[in-house]
Amino acid sequence: MERGACIAFVCLVVCAVPFPIGTPLSAEPATEVTPVASTSQPRGLTFTDHTGRAVSEREFLGRYMLVFFGYTHCPDVCPADLMIMSAALRELGEAGEAVQPVFITFDPERDTPVVLAEYVRHFHPRLTGLTGSPAEIAAATRSYGVIFERDGDEEGSESADYSLRHTALTYLIGPDGKGVAIFDHDSDPVETAAEILALLEQGPAGAVAGGSP
Amino acid sequence: MKSALMVFVSILGLAGCATSDEFREGDVVIESPWARSSAGRTATGVVYLRLSNLAAEPEQLLGVTTPIAAGASVHRTMREHGMMSMQPLQALALAANETVSLEPGGLHIMLMQLGSPLVEGETFPMTLNFERAGSIDIHVTVRGVGAMSAHE
Ligand SMILES: [Cu+2]
């Protein structure tokens, strides 16, 4: 447990929506506003991946996941965070192969599997894109504490051009499906990689220590 | 000094035409305009560039137009209570001798209702309207969807 202490528990957004059955791994006071730790998530989320295949969250068990929620029409923020994810994985080199990068859209109306397939390939060869029914996506965002809302339509823009206000955190999920760390928007890829590496070396046991019986 | 810069700029203009990525009109210089290519059928796009006001007086960017999109406006990416959003600006003020960078995570020109997807490697025309310098026509280079700067 203490090994997670280097990770500051910064609860900017996540607390606004309760993470289910979360047991914080670290209770150390925040010294810097970069990473974060904690939480677990329920099982049973389902999605459609960018190849059109129905997938369950359970299929990802046994592996680490780096998860970012966004939408493909996001012009500025989401591409930047996905590039950071990609750069952090590159920085991790071989160790990064243990981590499955995942992009989950909260705009399933526009982000169909076909749209996601075209999008994810630009960021990382192994990036999996997940969409789903509005209910599936609502369950996923609730589970992660992701908040998004439609912005007021801009003058001169049609409704198809809407943009979304949203949180922009990246979640490291352990092989047991529980949250291990949260990285802030616009984190440094090298620091992110170093933190992920430390957590990987600590092993799944470290991730499990907080929550499992 | 100023005339030397102008000669330099005009040489660049003659040498490069479409490929030059520095544009000048009056006391305003626009450098390295680039856009992210569209991933899929996205109807929105984003343009980044660097703006310099060489004058001793303030200047304002009042508007942006491009034939490739129905709408274009300057946006600032904001963070409020952990929520990221974009706020349209009525005008972008440049103080005397100020350089402002529109770059990922800060300011950008947002393109709305693109007529067709932006393809990496292509360029497209855009006009920036300034209070004092008037209209400046530029060419924007399309980079990869994951590009983070003009030189990737
Ligand atoms: Cu914008």
Side-chain angles (χ1 to χ4, degrees), chain A residues 75, chain B residues 75 86 108 110:
Chain B
H75 281 186
M86 297 180 299
H108 59 270
M110 175 101 164

Side-chain angles (χ1 to χ4, degrees), chain A residues 90-166:
Chain A
R90 199 166 49 238
E91 187 70 25
L92 280 168
E94 254 175 57
E97 286 165 26
V99 180
Q100 173 63 51
V102 177
F103 172 74
I104 305 178
T105 180
F106 41 62
D107 188 16
E109 192 184 318
R110 293 183 295 189
D111 291 340
T112 60
V114 173
V115 169
L116 282 184
E118 171 60 25
Y119 188 72
V120 294
R121 68 186 184 86
H122 291 283
F123 296 99
H124 194 275
R126 290 191 293 111
L127 180 60
T128 291
L130 299 179
T131 183
S133 69
E136 287 173 316
I137 295 303
T141 54
R142 215 180 304 123
S143 152
Y144 280 79
V146 169
I147 310 168
F148 63 99
E149 61 195 28
R150 201 161 148 159
D151 245 346
D153 288 357
E154 214 175 315
E155 216 182 316
S157 79
E158 278 176 1
S159 55
D161 258 359
Y162 60 85
S163 56
L164 300 161
R165 302 159 52 80
H166 59 93

